[in-house]
Amino acid sequence: MMRPTLEDVARHAGVSRATVSRVVRGDVGVAGETAAKVSAAVAKLGYVPNASARSLATGRSNTLAMVVPEPDGRVFSDPFFGLAVAGINAGLSGTDMQLVMVFASRPDRSGAVVDFLLEGRVAGAIIVSHHRSDGLVAAAASLPIPTVFLGAPLLRTSDRRAYFVDTDNTAGARLAAERMMATGVRRPATVAGPLDMAAALDRMTGFADPFEAAGLEVAVAHGDYTRESGARAAAELLDRDPTIDGIFAASDLMAQGVMDTLHDRNIPIGDQVKVIGFDDFEAAAQTHPPLTTIVNPAVELGRQATLMVLNLVEGRDTPSPVILPVELHVRQSG
């Protein structure tokens, strides 16, 4: 069965194609009786406006891009990305906007991604999990479309003001440190994320500062937010200092890797070594023992980033940054 067209609705309602187009767009200048006839024809025929045609007519795309500069394997294995997409879709609810995902998994792909964004196919972009080394922060300064970062970017003084939403990473890591200090940890360590990500730096310093204020040094190793890197970093830390009695991992996946290493070495988790993660995704309650962790509101981050970019698209006043609060979920690991 052929999909009804604007012309079909116009013939059925006995009005011009232009009048139907105005009613479908929500133009309040159409007389009430005429608008009612058009609306009845739309309902009877099951007409659905063509988004592409509407974009051409208005000169504005109805598409947002979610740009992810991470390897494909991490995108599909880390729950954060799926939850962020769910939040973005929630933010798009009730709009005519659609979402496309753009992957920039290698540094040499950032130029192609920027070219795509410059072609006018999208009304705005949300850049997720960016690194300073991927070039997208600097490139965003040249984009003529509204751009929002999900996660604070590492900015140079020459960069323009950036719009972003983020979790209060520093406060979350401080909660982890305070919990460990309260439970008697005196040889603390952290598995931090990559140094070219603002979240990694904030979580590392937020954890270290309370211990250093108490005269205790924090050992540091780095991972890339994967479970495997957490296991390697934990092994490195324990090889350097077998007396470590508390490890804060900057993500739940890395915390699971830390626990893998502790299990392999028959080190009791929660007794001999406390472990705290950062995310509180579903798997955190299913580890052995269940993982103490900081809540990272990934769905709400995605929703807030979407609201921010839609405000920018519509030219509305848009406060930035939006920083979401955190809380600690205590379980047996820490």
Side-chain angles (χ1 to χ4, degrees), residues 41 56 104 108 129 163 204 209 222 229 234 250 313 318 325:
L56 290 172
D108 61 340
S129 192
Y163 289 88
M204 181 172 65
D209 285 351
H222 291 275
S229 71
V313 168
T318 308

Side-chain angles (χ1 to χ4, degrees), residues 73-83 225-226 251 253 279 281:
R74 189 184 162 214
V75 172
F76 294 108
S77 64
D78 191 331
F80 176 83
F81 296 100
L83 293 170
Y225 293 120
T226 62
S251 77
L253 280 176
D279 282 325
F281 299 152

Side-chain angles (χ1 to χ4, degrees), residues 166-167 169-170 173-174 190 198-208 225 248 250-251 278-279 296:
D166 205 354
T167 301
N169 293 295
T170 303
R174 187 182 305 116
T190 182
L201 295 174
D202 288 345
R203 293 176 192 180
M204 181 172 65
T205 57
F207 182 73
Y225 293 120
F248 166 60
S251 77
F278 199 117
D279 282 325
N296 188 15

Side-chain angles (χ1 to χ4, degrees), residues 95-116:
T95 76
D96 66 349
M97 287 286 186
Q98 58 186 341
L99 179 68
V100 297
M101 293 187 69
V102 183
F103 295 94
S105 56
R106 305 187 312 271
D108 61 340
R109 284 283 300 153
S110 61
V113 170
V114 171
D115 289 343
F116 170 80

Side-chain angles (χ1 to χ4, degrees), residues 11-248:
R11 281 194 298 270
H12 194 279
V15 299
S16 69
R17 183 184 188 281
T19 297
V20 175
S21 178
R22 290 171 64 195
V23 173
V24 169
R25 291 200 310 267
D27 191 331
V28 297
V30 180
E33 184 179 345
T34 301
K37 286 198 301 183
V38 171
S39 297
V42 166
K44 183 171 182 179
L45 297 177
Y47 171 72
V48 178
N50 184 296
S52 298
R54 185 165 63 251
S55 293
L56 290 172
T58 61
R60 193 186 78 186
S61 170
N62 71 325
T63 302
L64 293 180
M66 175 181 174
V67 181
V68 186
E70 290 286 356
D72 296 351
R74 189 184 162 214
V75 172
F76 294 108
S77 64
D78 191 331
F80 176 83
F81 296 100
L83 293 170
V85 170
I88 291 171
N89 281 329
L92 293 177
S93 177
T95 76
D96 66 349
M97 287 286 186
Q98 58 186 341
L99 179 68
V100 297
M101 293 187 69
V102 183
F103 295 94
S105 56
R106 305 187 312 271
D108 61 340
R109 284 283 300 153
S110 61
V113 170
V114 171
D115 289 343
F116 170 80
L117 297 177
L118 288 171
E119 288 174 359
R121 300 183 188 181
V122 298
I126 299 172
I127 301 179
V128 181
S129 192
H130 45 281
H131 300 248
R132 183 160 51 190
S133 59
D134 60 36
L136 283 171
V137 175
S142 67
L143 293 177
I145 62 171
T147 303
V148 170
F149 290 92
L150 201 164
L154 282 174
L155 296 172
R156 300 183 301 262
T157 54
S158 59
D159 292 325
R160 70 175 184 180
R161 178 191 176 194
Y163 289 88
F164 67 90
V165 301
D166 205 354
T167 301
D168 194 338
N169 293 295
T170 303
R174 187 182 305 116
L175 287 175
E178 291 170 351
R179 170 66 183 176
M180 286 197 176
M181 294 174 73
T183 55
V185 170
R186 293 297 178 265
R187 300 292 293 174
T190 182
V191 177
L195 288 175
D196 64 347
M197 298 185 77
L201 295 174
D202 288 345
R203 293 176 192 180
M204 181 172 65
T205 57
F207 182 73
D209 285 351
F211 279 108
E212 291 176 358
L216 300 172
E217 184 178 354
V218 175
V220 180
H222 291 275
D224 60 4
Y225 293 120
T226 62
R227 184 168 182 162
E228 295 76 16
S229 71
R232 288 193 299 270
E236 175 188 334
L237 289 167
L238 292 166
D239 288 343
R240 286 180 355 213
D241 182 2
T243 68
I244 284 172
D245 58 357
I247 301 177
F248 166 60

